[in-house]
């Protein structure tokens, strides 16, 4: 009997402490996620020092729970993997420090993983990936179009020049009086309203694959403030629908533009914003029409947010390549993929 | 009892391995390089030269604050994870007590100090009594002027320790005059061997709930509490 490949994976780049046990890069034996949303709600966004403190509280409990739920001992493990960037440095350091310590204590290889690679490889839990593939990576910190020419070979072909899509959701959510994080509630309101404000679709139709959301955010805020000044009451549903339509239009248009330039068989929609129903519906509808042969993979909601299972999936690829780190591994808060 | 002790509360990093009260290996590095990069390699090296594997340890002792928030978390996370993953005993010792323990052979009050910015300090008051380091005044985050005022009322000779003391020498001398004493550059650095000795006597803590002693809420929490009641908001972290 061949030994199972079991990776103990760590993720702590922002406000989720997560530890998972992944078998052969495809099977989730456990995926413990301790979320701090309730804490950061108090401040309207993630406060880095508070996040770091919560990670220390949670880290060993998450390790113990992950191993128990997977019914696995340290002696069964093949390797330890950890997100080492990008993210908040104080948050990253807790996962990196804990992962290094476990690897040292049990003499296991240590696999450093790029957080964005993790988000993309969450798709591997849905089905096998075929290369080359295109990924649209959308979250509170990222909006990028990435091609994978081969397993673990990432190239950025388009990215936001200012705010990330998820960040724009949180900022306009604040204007609508929605508590952080606003994405889910804006998505819900949007489905009850109509695009009546026709906010600008920045950079749409331009001959590049980049994004910009700060103009949209400003247009939204100006519209609401102007209405406030003249005492007019605007429909929150229509505001949300109009904002979401502008974001989704640009994301879908740019993805379609990228697919024309980079022929692939699969499209992965990754990151926290991939949970957005409006985006899921618009993307699948548009692709079915224009690229019926392209397979669209959008991971289930539990795997689009930050979690360690996705880090274990990406680590499986790095393990095959023997990409290991030593005990000096440090957090790299601004880690990025190569640009194409 | 085999003990691994570590302190990364401030710029200096100190690690020691001890067996039954005898020092096997120690390292103190005071050159600016990140603790995250050098703590585990140093532990590995000292354990190797001590002829020990991590599983052979009985206890991990860590300086758990106050100090640099990130610095304290590096050692606490390392110690907590090592104890958890190998089922070792874990003991947290105040980083100020660890500094105070370096001032041996004095009956003076020992006042370890760390700069907390804006003329504030982290400080405590300690004293040796029958070979045991006693905490006379608890560790606090307070204004330097308040600390010095209180020490003046105690009317006892006081020995200041810590690498930040140099920043405050003038104020200390101005308030306490000849009753203020200072130590040399070596005694101002934490020595993990001393930390191990302090930690050898203590009762182990619960590993899962162990956290640093920051002695200070974050600025965000302090501001939030000005307009909010803490009740009804917990739990702040939830397993989902
Ligand atoms: Zn993420």
């Amino acid at each position: 009997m061949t030994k199972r490949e079991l990776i103990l994976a760590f993720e702590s780049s922002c406000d989720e402490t997560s530890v998972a046990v992944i078998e052969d890069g495809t099977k989730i034996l456990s995926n413990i996620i301790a979320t701090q949303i309730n804490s950061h709600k108090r401040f309207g966004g993630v406060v880095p020092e508070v996040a770091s403190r919560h990670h220390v509280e949670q880290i060993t409990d998450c390790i113990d729970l992950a191993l128990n739920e997977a019914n696995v001992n340290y002696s069964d493990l093949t390797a330890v993997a950890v997100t080492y960037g990008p993210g908040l440095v104080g948050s990253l350091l807790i996962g990196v420090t804990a992962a290094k310590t476990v690897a040292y204590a049990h003499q296991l290889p240590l696999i450093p993983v790029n957080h964005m690679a993790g988000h993309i490889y969450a798709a591997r839990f849905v089905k096998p990936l075929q290369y080359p593939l295109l990924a649209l990576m959308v979250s509170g910190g990222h909006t990028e179009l990435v091609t994978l020419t081969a397993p673990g070979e990432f190239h950025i072909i388009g990215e936001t020049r200012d705010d990330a899509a998820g960040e724009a959701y949180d900022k306009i959510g604040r204007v609508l009086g929605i508590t952080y994080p606003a994405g889910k509630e804006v998505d819900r309101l949007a489905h009850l309203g109509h695009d009546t404000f026709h906010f600008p679709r920045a950079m749409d139709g331009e001959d590049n694959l980049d994004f910009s959301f700060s103009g949209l955010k400003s247009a939204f805020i100006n519209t609401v403030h102007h209405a406030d000044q003249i005492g007019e009451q605007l429909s929150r549903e229509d505001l949300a629908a109009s904002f979401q339509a502008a974001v989704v239009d640009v994301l879908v248009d740019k993805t379609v533009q990228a697919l024309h330039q980079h022929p692939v068989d699969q499209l992965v929609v990754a990151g926290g914003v991939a949970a957005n129903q409006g985006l899921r519906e618009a993307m699948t509808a548009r692709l079915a029409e224009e690229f019926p042969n392209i397979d669209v993979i959008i991971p289930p909601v539990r795997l689009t947010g930050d979690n360690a299972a996705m880090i274990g999936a990406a680590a499986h690829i790095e393990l095959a390549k023997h990409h290991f780190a030593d005990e000096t591994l440090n957090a790299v808060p601004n880690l990025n993929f190569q640009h194409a | 009892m085999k003990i691994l002790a570590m302190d990364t509360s401030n710029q200096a990093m100190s690690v020691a391995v001890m067996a039954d009260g005898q020092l096997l290996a120690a390292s103190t590095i005071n050159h600016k390089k990140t603790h995250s990069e050098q703590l585990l390699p140093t532990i590995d090296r000292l354990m190797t030269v001590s002829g020990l594997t991590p599983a052979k340890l009985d206890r991990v002792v860590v300086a758990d604050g106050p100090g640099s928030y990130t610095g304290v978390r590096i050692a606490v996370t390392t110690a907590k994870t090592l104890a958890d993953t190998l089922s070792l005993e874990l003991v947290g010792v105040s980083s100020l007590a660890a500094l105070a323990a370096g001032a041996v052979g004095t009956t003076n009050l020992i006042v370890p100090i760390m700069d907390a910015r804006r003329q504030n300090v982290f400080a405590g008051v300690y004293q040796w009594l029958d070979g045991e380091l006693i905490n006379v005044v608890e560790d606090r985050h307070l204004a330097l002027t308040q600390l010095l005022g209180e020490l003046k009322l105690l009317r006892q000779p006081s020995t200041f320790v810590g690498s930040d003391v140099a920043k405050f020498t003038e104020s200390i001398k101005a308030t306490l005059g000849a009753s203020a004493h200072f130590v040399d550059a070596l005694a101002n650095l934490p020595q993990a061997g001393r930390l191990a000795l302090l930690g050898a006597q203590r009762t182990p803590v619960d590993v899962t709930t162990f956290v640093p002693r920051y002695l200070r809420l974050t600025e965000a929490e302090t501001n939030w509490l000005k307009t909010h009641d803490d009740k009804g908001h917990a739990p702040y972290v939830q397993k989902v």
Side-chain angles (χ1 to χ4, degrees):
Chain A
M1 198 182 97
T2 52
K3 207 182 168 214
R4 296 187 292 171
E5 176 202 292
L6 295 174
I7 295 177
L8 180 69
F10 289 74
E11 156 62 38
S12 71
S13 63
C14 190
D15 60 344
E16 262 99 26
T17 319
S18 182
V19 182
V21 179
I22 303 304
E23 182 176 344
D24 297 326
T26 57
K27 196 170 163 197
I28 301 172
L29 300 189
S30 62
N31 187 21
I32 307 299
I33 305 171
T35 177
Q36 309 175 3
I37 283 181
N38 219 12
S39 180
H40 300 290
K41 251 182 197 166
R42 293 177 292 173
F43 319 117
V46 176
V47 176
E49 174 60 23
V50 173
S52 304
R53 291 184 179 195
H54 286 315
H55 285 304
V56 183
E57 293 163 19
Q58 295 293 324
I59 191 69
T60 57
D61 195 30
C62 288
I63 298 172
D64 297 347
L65 290 171
L67 289 168
N68 274 339
E69 198 178 303
N71 200 13
V72 156
N73 295 315
Y74 286 106
S75 57
D76 302 323
L77 295 176
T78 312
V80 175
V82 62
T83 303
Y84 73 115
L88 300 169
V89 66
S91 289
L92 288 165
L93 277 172
I94 304 307
V96 167
T97 302
K100 286 202 297 189
T101 305
V102 170
Y104 162 67
H106 302 283
Q107 308 226 306
L108 292 164
L110 177 68
I111 305 168
V113 175
N114 180 315
H115 179 76
M116 294 190 289
H119 272 302
I120 293 169
Y121 271 94
R124 182 61 190 83
F125 294 118
V126 180
K127 62 170 71 163
L129 304 183
Q130 291 161 24
Y131 306 92
L133 69 77
L134 179 75
L136 171 66
M137 164 75 217
V138 263
S139 71
H142 294 276
T143 308
E144 272 132 26
L145 280 161
V146 179
T147 56
L148 270 84
T149 46
E153 301 292 326
F154 305 88
H155 307 277
I156 293 181
I157 56 169
E159 65 194 327
T160 182
R161 299 203 178 160
D162 39 59
D163 295 352
E167 197 179 349
Y169 269 91
D170 286 330
K171 284 177 179 168
I172 69 103
R174 206 171 298 168
V175 177
L176 291 176
I178 298 168
T179 52
Y180 166 88
K184 213 173 164 183
E185 177 62 7
V186 174
D187 192 16
R188 191 189 68 83
L189 286 174
H191 277 79
L192 303 172
H194 300 282
D195 179 6
T196 55
F197 292 96
H198 308 294
F199 291 125
R201 271 76 166 153
M203 306 190 68
D204 208 4
E206 281 182 27
D207 190 25
N208 62 61
L209 297 172
D210 288 345
F211 304 90
S212 167
F213 294 105
S214 73
L216 166 61
K217 177 194 68 191
S218 303
F220 183 97
I221 293 171
N222 290 340
T223 301
V224 173
H225 282 178
H226 179 71
D228 280 351
Q229 277 168 3
I230 60 170
E232 194 188 338
Q233 188 72 29
L234 300 179
S235 153
R236 298 172 80 232
E237 291 79 8
D238 288 348
L239 280 167
S242 303
F243 169 81
Q244 177 143 309
V247 172
V248 167
D249 272 359
V250 178
L251 291 175
V252 174
D253 284 350
K254 290 280 176 175
T255 303
V256 165
Q257 201 175 327
L259 288 170
H260 280 294
Q261 293 173 21
H262 302 265
V264 296
D265 293 330
Q266 278 183 338
L267 170 72
V268 171
V269 184
V273 180
N276 186 286
Q277 280 304 324
L279 176 61
R280 284 172 178 248
E281 290 158 12
M283 189 68 86
T284 40
R286 179 79 177 274
L287 274 262
E289 204 176 285
E290 249 177 275
F291 294 98
N293 295 325
I294 292 184
D295 190 13
V296 186
I297 311 176
I298 310 178
V301 172
R302 186 174 168 79
L303 297 176
T304 54
D306 289 352
N307 69 90
M310 68 185 198
I311 302 306
H316 168 75
I317 304 294
E318 300 299 307
L319 175 62
K321 296 180 178 188
H322 292 271
H323 285 174
F324 300 127
D326 66 16
E327 290 165 351
T328 61
L329 179 68
N330 205 351
V332 183
N334 53 5
L335 183 70
N336 210 341
F337 291 139
Q338 279 187 345
H339 286 73
Chain B
M1 179 161 56
K2 297 181 187 69
I3 297 180
L4 171 68
M6 60 190 91
D7 185 344
T8 60
S9 320
N10 290 290
Q11 184 183 302
M13 180 190 88
S14 190
V15 181
V17 181
M18 293 192 87
D20 304 323
Q22 297 299 312
L23 184 71
L24 297 183
S27 166
T28 299
I29 300 174
N30 193 29
H31 180 67
K32 235 184 152 73
K33 199 179 170 200
T34 70
H35 295 320
S36 163
E37 283 171 57
Q38 61 187 359
L39 178 59
L40 201 58
T42 304
I43 290 172
D44 193 353
R45 186 169 53 80
L46 296 190
M47 289 291 289
T48 304
V49 298
S50 301
L52 288 176
T53 56
K56 291 271 165 55
L57 289 167
D58 298 296
R59 177 174 284 202
V60 184
V61 179
V62 62
D64 60 5
S68 138
Y69 297 153
T70 301
V72 168
R73 276 193 291 268
I74 298 286
V76 165
T77 304
T78 302
K80 178 172 167 157
T81 307
L82 197 60
D84 180 72
T85 200
L86 293 170
S87 304
L88 309 174
E89 292 175 350
L90 176 65
V91 168
V93 172
S94 151
S95 307
L96 289 166
L99 269 179
V104 286
T106 177
T107 54
N108 289 356
L109 293 177
I110 304 168
V111 188
I113 283 187
M114 294 171 190
D115 186 5
R117 300 207 188 107
R118 291 180 224 145
Q119 290 302 303
N120 290 315
V121 292
F122 291 118
V125 182
Y126 293 81
Q127 198 163 31
W128 291 106
L129 195 72
D130 301 327
E132 207 185 321
L133 188 70
I134 304 296
N135 183 207
V136 180
V137 181
E138 61 169 358
D139 294 351
R140 283 174 299 167
H141 171 257
L142 76 174
L144 178 68
T145 50
Q146 188 192 336
L147 173 72
L148 297 178
E150 291 179 11
L151 288 169
K152 197 171 178 184
L153 294 174
L154 291 175
R155 296 170 173 278
Q156 288 190 54
S158 302
T159 299
F160 290 83
V161 291
S163 43
D164 291 337
V165 168
K167 295 180 194 171
F168 307 116
T169 313
E170 274 182 35
S171 311
I172 294 170
K173 282 180 177 165
T175 310
L176 301 177
S179 70
H181 300 268
F182 301 92
V183 299
D184 65 21
L186 271 179
N188 275 326
L189 294 179
Q191 300 295 340
R194 298 266 164 217
L195 178 67
L197 289 178
L198 289 180
Q201 314 299 329
R202 312 268 176 102
T203 311
V205 297
D206 175 59
V207 175
T208 307
T209 54
F210 182 66
V211 289
R213 69 184 92 198
Y214 299 104
L215 298 188
R216 234 185 132 183
L217 277 181
T218 63
E219 214 176 307
E221 288 166 302
T222 307
N223 289 334
W224 183 79
L225 283 170
K226 283 177 191 162
T227 51
H228 296 81
D229 188 344
D230 203 17
K231 287 192 187 74
H233 290 272
Y236 290 128
V237 185
Q238 289 165 297
K239 309 267 189 335
V240 290

